[in-house]
């Protein structure tokens, strides 16, 4: 089929976008520019008009501080859309923001969005429809652990096996790949958010202090760990004393937080072990050389790589800039469409494209 000059220009100046539509953060990777957006997946909505009044970092600042007519929410839960219209508005805002960085006017973008490996057909359709309604010209879906492996630079198209563990806000994804395909994968809805909830419950039960999710996340980042540290740390958390009803604070240690999140961390490790149990011995031999790549924001939990190395008897290592791996991988898949199109889930094209 011959291409007209218009077709060439359309391809030349088309805006290609890779999106990590995460429970906690949304990242957008624009072809030729890299990561241009990395903001929390929060939206502030006016309850009277149902219109968004703030999106991203501005909305997250409002959490717990809004008047009665404004509600702050995350439109994704456990990696899937729970508020369709709000997700559509958020995507539309971010796509328009990416468009603003283009030098010349371009057609509506082609988009690749990462989705959890274990989502249903209905959940896939919801992501696809939200992207199209937000202004995409074409939308393709790719499983998050596969995109993370691409973004981390793993040689997934080679005969030898590769393994990635992508721990985000809502889901933990495990995938073992070889020859450009997935050998086996697991998706678990226990990740960063669950660790935050564990911290809230632990402090409530031990100190009778109720803290918010934001404070729990700060404590997790500051002193949370999955393995004993060379120098244990402490941090102060503030909340409401459930006995007096007054503001209160307490100093907690990394040892205490490690105890508080132990069950969820072990659940994630058990899923990794289950995936390895079903891995062919030839690929297991490969993994002893290549190790396990950790990606996603949750993989930055202190000592997680050492814990996995100890329990699994081969090396676990943290990818470079693990938070952006999925967005970078989605962008790579779109840049070399012919090579990686087999990785797309439910590949859909619009008429005439």
């Amino acid at each position: 089929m011959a291409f007209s000059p218009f077709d060439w220009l359309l391809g030349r100046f088309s805006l290609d976008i890779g999106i990590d539509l995460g429970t906690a953060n949304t990242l957008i990777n624009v072809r030729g520019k890299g990561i241009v957006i990395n903001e929390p997946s929060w939206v502030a909505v006016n309850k009277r008009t149902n219109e968004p009044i703030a999106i991203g970092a501005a909305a997250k600042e409002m959490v717990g501080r809004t008047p009665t007519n404004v509600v702050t929410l995350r439109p994704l839960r456990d990696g899937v859309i729970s508020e369709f219209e709000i997700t559509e508005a958020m995507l539309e805002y971010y796509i328009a923001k990416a468009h603003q960085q283009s030098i010349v006017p371009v057609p509506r973008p082609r988009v690749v969005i990462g989705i959890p490996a274990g989502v249903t057909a209905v959940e896939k359709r919801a992501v696809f429809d939200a992207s199209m309604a937000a202004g995409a010209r074409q939308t393709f879906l790719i499983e998050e652990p596969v995109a993370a492996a691409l973004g981390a630079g793993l040689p997934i198209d080679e005969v030898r096996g590769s393994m990635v563990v992508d721990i985000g806000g809502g889901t933990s994804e495990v995938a073992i790949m070889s020859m450009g395909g997935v050998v086996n994968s697991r998706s678990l809805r226990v990740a960063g958010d669950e660790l935050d909830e564990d911290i809230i419950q632990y402090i409530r039960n031990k100190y009778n202090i109720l803290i918010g999710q934001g404070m729990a996340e700060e404590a997790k980042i500051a002193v949370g760990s999955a393995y004993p540290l060379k120098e244990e740390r402490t941090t102060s958390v503030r909340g409401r004393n459930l006995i007096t009803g007054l503001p209160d604070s307490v100093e907690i240690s990394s040892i205490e937080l490690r105890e508080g999140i132990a069950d969820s961390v072990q659940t994630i490790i058990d899923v990794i072990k289950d995936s390895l149990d079903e891995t062919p011995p030839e690929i297991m031999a490969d993994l002893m050389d290549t190790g396990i790549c950790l990606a996603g924001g949750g993989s930055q939990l202190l000592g997680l790589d050492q814990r996995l190395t100890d329990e699994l008897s081969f090396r676990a290592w943290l990818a470079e800039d693990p938070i952006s791996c999925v967005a970078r991988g989605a962008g790579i898949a779109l840049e070399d469409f012919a090579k990686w199109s087999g990785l797309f889930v439910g590949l859909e094209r619009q008429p005439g494209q």
Side-chain angles (χ1 to χ4, degrees):
M1 178 179 176
F3 287 91
S4 70
F6 175 76
D7 292 324
W8 181 86
L9 284 171
L10 187 65
R12 177 67 179 84
F13 294 111
S14 174
L15 187 68
D16 288 346
I17 296 177
I19 300 178
D20 177 7
L21 190 61
T23 305
N25 294 283
T26 295
L27 289 87
I28 291 188
N29 176 26
V30 174
R31 183 180 64 178
K33 292 182 178 293
I35 304 296
V36 298
I37 293 172
N38 180 0
E39 294 202 35
S41 299
W42 282 93
V43 181
V45 180
N46 187 320
K47 291 195 288 186
R48 294 171 185 165
T49 63
N50 206 31
E51 292 292 326
I53 60 174
I55 294 174
K60 187 175 182 180
E61 281 292 315
M62 300 178 184
V63 175
R65 301 179 175 94
T66 58
T68 55
N69 66 313
V70 176
V71 59
T72 52
L73 53 84
R74 292 196 296 185
L76 293 103
R77 287 289 174 187
D78 299 327
V80 297
I81 294 174
S82 59
E83 300 284 347
F84 182 85
E85 292 181 355
I86 304 301
T87 302
E88 178 190 328
M90 184 175 73
L91 273 175
E92 186 174 1
Y93 170 79
Y94 286 138
I95 289 175
K97 199 170 180 180
H99 259 290
Q100 292 171 5
Q101 305 196 30
S102 299
I103 299 173
V104 295
V106 293
R108 295 191 304 165
R110 292 193 308 170
V111 174
V112 172
I113 299 183
I115 58 172
V119 298
T120 65
V122 173
E123 290 165 342
K124 292 176 189 175
R125 170 58 65 173
V127 174
F128 178 85
D129 289 347
S131 175
M132 297 302 293
R137 175 167 57 93
Q138 289 179 294
T139 296
F140 305 100
L141 308 178
I142 186 171
E143 292 183 345
E144 287 176 351
V146 176
L150 273 177
L154 295 182
I156 65 173
D157 56 335
E158 296 183 6
V159 175
R160 60 176 172 156
S162 301
M163 183 173 184
V164 65
V165 178
D166 176 30
I167 305 174
T171 58
S172 295
E173 312 274 344
V174 182
I176 296 173
M177 288 156 285
S178 176
M179 298 174 62
V182 177
V183 177
N184 70 60
S185 65
R186 292 282 190 281
S187 182
L188 174 70
R189 297 190 177 186
V190 174
D193 287 351
E194 193 72 19
L195 299 183
D196 295 342
E197 289 298 325
D198 289 345
I199 292 170
I200 291 171
Q201 289 302 318
Y202 181 84
I203 293 174
R204 177 173 185 159
N205 293 338
K206 185 169 183 178
Y207 295 105
N208 286 313
I209 294 176
L210 180 62
I211 65 172
Q213 188 176 22
M215 180 61 65
E217 184 180 18
E218 288 178 18
K220 177 184 68 179
I221 293 171
V223 303
S225 66
Y227 195 79
L229 305 177
K230 290 182 179 179
E231 293 185 9
E232 300 292 352
R233 309 176 182 181
T234 62
T235 189
S236 177
V237 295
R238 300 178 300 278
R240 176 165 54 87
N241 190 303
L242 295 173
I243 297 175
T244 65
L246 300 175
D248 201 354
S249 66
V250 64
E251 195 85 6
I252 58 170
S253 69
S254 51
I255 298 173
E256 291 176 292
L257 280 198
R258 190 159 58 246
E259 177 186 343
I261 64 176
D263 289 345
S264 292
V265 171
Q266 190 60 53
T267 299
I268 294 171
I269 293 173
D270 289 343
V271 168
I272 298 171
K273 289 180 178 178
D274 289 344
S275 183
L276 289 171
D277 283 343
E278 297 183 7
T279 301
E282 291 82 2
I283 291 183
M284 286 290 284
D286 294 336
L287 296 181
M288 292 185 73
D289 292 329
T290 60
I292 300 175
C293 175
L294 302 179
S299 67
Q300 297 178 106
L301 182 69
L302 295 174
L304 182 60
D305 51 350
Q306 294 101 315
R307 172 81 175 272
L308 287 171
T309 298
D310 274 10
E311 295 211 14
L312 303 178
S313 299
F314 53 88
R315 183 174 65 99
W317 51 280
L318 196 62
E320 182 182 352
D321 193 12
I323 294 178
S324 67
C325 280
V326 172
R328 285 187 284 124
I332 291 170
L334 197 49
E335 283 178 19
D336 198 344
F337 188 89
K339 180 177 181 180
W340 301 115
S341 60
L343 298 177
F344 295 136
V345 178
L347 186 63
E348 299 187 49
R349 287 176 180 264
Q350 283 64 60
Q353 301 296 331

